[in-house]
Amino acid sequence: MVQQSLQPEKAPVSLSMGPAQAPTQKLSFRERIGNIADRLKNAYNNAKNGKSLKEKIFLFLGGLTQDVKKLQVAEKQVDQQEASKVAGVIQNASPDQLTAAIKPEIAGANPESLPADEKAAVDALVPVIGNAFQNDLNDQERTAVATSLGFAGPEKAGKALADSRNKLLVAFFGLKTLKGFKLHFQRNRMGVDAIAGQIDAFKRAIMKGNFKPGSSGTKDLFKFDFVDLAPLASKLPLKTVPTLAAIKDPNWSADARAKVIGVFGQFLPATASNTPALEKAVDTIHDVASKGRGLESKDIATLLYHVEANDFDHLAEIIHS
Amino acid sequence: MPSIDSVILGLLQESSLPDLYKRIIRNMLPDMTQIQKEDIYLALSEAKDKRKALKEEGEKICRKYEDIVGRIETEPDNFLREVEEIEKECEEDKTKQSSGSARLTIKQKLALQSLKKEVKAE
């Protein structure tokens, strides 16, 4: 049994936080190394034996740096391996276990005493955070999602709860880059309508507050990386009045069309701007917009679909910048 | 004998995991299966052992360079002479390529020297 070998040690073992023992060891590892380096530098400056001793000291300084660097790399690897193994356990935990672990962090010790609307928001937030942990996110992304949704403690949960719907949208659509979306297109050869339908179903479910990971209509969305729709919608030139007016005009001139393509092109890398794919995307959006329909997920999905062949990574960078 | 839960809590405190992970594990602990607990225990204790080994490695590095810098400060001429002798030996060894020690670097030889000194002092 594991218990038999479980003898916790009191002293922390981190290199940087090492405890004191002998007089010189009262300093941490970093302090000791800094001290040695300073002494070597002083010795270098004070060396009167000519060039030779200076050269040797210089070499020892180099050796010291190299040795410390190797240790730091090894320490980082240990941290990463530990986090990865622990993350593995969390990823394979049951939804009930995760809910029980996450809920107190965002709702405080007595979630039952919350007002009904806040309680509902907590119930919506918990599976979202749980899902963030169980999907293929890195530590940074998990922390960003959990923190943005109030995981930093009950005191911060209030704010997260207040605009939980927006937060949910932003967090979810911001989780992954367009790169994942591109891959999904490639793997599944999905049509624009299918993707737009899924995105809309997902949004509706969140806005109504009855979003459940894995539920019908949203299930497929969880299989692929999310598109950063919210920032995308706000950053794309669709929002700019002249561009919007031009793109909505059923009788737009060739000149106006070229200008709109040019505006879109500014948001794309050189390789993707002014290409037939971009022209087609703009034409499709124009077609939709000029018929009086709003610019919705479908239009954005169309745009993404048609520029997909170019450089999504860069597009994602622009959108996230 | 401490329970596995209390051991995990102790290890968690010492670990370098992001705070987020620590809190989730701490909250999950009462509902964890034995297998999950053992997996967590193994991950944390393995990392702890590795950190301990790295710490010892760090101690060695400190001792080695503290000895070197101490000698540079107190007896720079002797030190320089010794290093040059070792370098010379190494050069000779390289050309002979006859024994295992021929492949020792200057750094290793210096480490060996200070080790011998330590043993003598003890």
Side-chain angles (χ1 to χ4, degrees):
Chain A
M1 286 299 287
V2 171
Q3 278 99 325
Q4 287 169 347
S5 59
L6 306 179
Q7 292 301 326
E9 290 186 21
K10 283 172 190 168
V13 291
S14 167
L15 283 175
S16 51
M17 305 288 283
Q21 284 166 15
T24 49
Q25 290 168 339
K26 278 181 183 163
L27 300 172
S28 71
F29 175 73
R30 274 179 220 288
E31 286 168 331
R32 277 177 82 183
I33 292 295
N35 194 343
I36 295 167
D38 286 346
R39 286 168 67 191
L40 277 172
K41 281 175 202 163
N42 277 341
Y44 177 86
N45 290 330
N46 298 331
K48 288 175 185 169
N49 287 31
K51 205 178 162 190
S52 193
L53 183 61
K54 276 188 185 287
E55 272 175 7
K56 305 294 176 239
I57 297 173
F58 188 76
L59 286 176
F60 282 117
L61 257 172
L64 176 70
T65 310
Q66 212 178 10
D67 286 347
V68 171
K69 211 169 184 176
K70 269 186 206 163
L71 265 188
Q72 285 171 336
V73 169
E75 197 182 30
K76 205 174 173 187
Q77 273 176 348
V78 172
D79 290 349
Q80 282 170 347
Q81 283 167 0
E82 182 185 45
S84 153
K85 284 178 184 172
V86 170
V89 175
I90 297 174
Q91 279 185 327
N92 293 315
S94 72
D96 285 349
Q97 281 180 316
L98 268 186
T99 301
I102 292 166
K103 208 165 182 176
E105 294 292 340
I106 62 168
N110 297 310
E112 300 311 316
S113 64
L114 290 173
D117 57 337
E118 290 193 2
K119 198 166 168 283
V122 169
D123 289 340
L125 290 171
V126 169
V128 174
I129 297 175
N131 197 272
F133 273 91
Q134 295 198 309
N135 274 301
D136 188 21
L137 303 183
N138 62 33
D139 284 348
Q140 208 181 359
E141 287 169 325
R142 283 195 186 103
T143 307
V145 176
T147 306
S148 74
L149 295 178
F151 197 83
E155 71 279 3
K156 290 192 182 174
K159 195 179 176 307
L161 295 175
D163 54 359
S164 59
R165 287 179 179 174
N166 287 337
K167 291 258 182 184
L168 282 170
L169 279 175
V170 172
F172 254 90
F173 290 134
L175 287 184
K176 299 285 178 90
T177 63
L178 295 169
K179 189 179 173 186
F181 203 61
K182 173 186 165 188
L183 284 174
H184 190 67
F185 275 133
Q186 288 169 343
R187 280 192 210 123
N188 298 290
R189 300 183 178 280
M190 283 178 72
V192 172
D193 287 341
I195 293 163
Q198 284 191 346
I199 291 170
D200 281 338
F202 180 62
K203 279 170 72 177
R204 273 199 305 276
I206 288 179
M207 298 314 276
K208 281 181 188 168
N210 58 4
F211 161 75
K212 283 178 191 158
S215 65
S216 170
T218 60
K219 200 174 175 183
D220 286 343
L221 270 171
F222 279 94
K223 289 182 188 164
F224 67 90
D225 303 330
F226 296 102
V227 186
D228 201 338
L229 270 190
L232 181 68
S234 65
K235 287 208 176 188
L236 279 178
L238 295 172
K239 292 277 176 187
T240 59
V241 177
T243 312
L244 195 61
I247 212 165
K248 276 183 170 176
D249 183 359
N251 303 311
W252 67 347
S253 63
D255 188 36
R257 179 178 174 271
K259 274 184 187 165
V260 172
I261 292 170
V263 172
F264 272 99
Q266 289 170 19
F267 285 76
L268 297 170
T271 49
S273 60
N274 205 20
T275 62
L278 177 59
E279 287 186 32
K280 194 175 174 190
V282 169
D283 283 341
T284 310
I285 293 172
H286 167 255
D287 186 47
V288 174
S290 62
K291 285 173 185 158
R293 286 160 55 188
L295 291 166
E296 293 167 350
S297 304
K298 179 171 177 169
D299 312 311
I300 296 166
T302 305
L303 172 70
L304 298 176
Y305 189 74
H306 288 300
V307 294
E308 181 265 340
N310 291 293
D311 192 340
F312 259 72
D313 292 349
H314 195 103
L315 184 61
E317 272 172 33
I318 294 166
I319 289 162
H320 284 292
S321 65
Chain B
M1 181 176 292
S3 70
I4 189 166
D5 287 23
S6 64
V7 173
I8 289 175
L9 288 173
L11 287 169
L12 263 184
Q13 215 169 352
E14 293 174 15
S15 85
S16 303
L17 282 174
D19 192 46
L20 201 62
Y21 282 58
K22 288 186 183 181
R23 285 157 68 175
I24 288 211
I25 295 295
R26 206 175 293 138
N27 293 349
M28 264 175 74
L29 207 51
D31 295 327
M32 273 188 185
T33 62
Q34 186 68 15
I35 292 173
Q36 284 174 319
K37 285 179 186 177
E38 286 179 10
D39 286 346
I40 292 287
Y41 167 74
L42 287 175
L44 297 177
S45 61
E46 190 187 350
K48 183 186 168 176
D49 290 345
K50 284 183 181 170
R51 284 194 193 100
K52 197 176 173 185
L54 287 175
K55 196 192 164 199
E56 281 162 12
E57 188 64 29
E59 288 288 334
K60 267 190 211 165
I61 292 174
C62 285
R63 277 201 302 272
K64 182 174 92 182
Y65 285 97
E66 275 163 355
D67 178 61
I68 289 170
V69 76
R71 289 171 59 205
I72 293 173
E73 285 167 344
T74 54
E75 44 188 35
D77 294 341
N78 287 344
F79 177 78
L80 184 61
R81 207 166 27 246
E82 269 181 45
V83 172
E84 282 172 347
E85 272 171 25
I86 293 170
E87 278 177 340
K88 207 175 163 188
E89 272 177 41
C90 281
E91 278 304 312
E92 285 169 7
D93 287 344
K94 257 187 192 173
T95 48
K96 285 180 195 167
Q97 290 284 320
S98 56
S99 69
S101 64
R103 283 181 288 279
L104 286 181
T105 63
I106 301 171
K107 237 162 63 173
Q108 285 168 322
K109 288 204 169 189
L110 275 168
L112 202 65
Q113 245 181 16
S114 56
L115 199 69
K116 280 178 188 166
K117 275 186 186 174
E118 273 178 40
V119 173
K120 265 187 194 171
E122 280 169 12

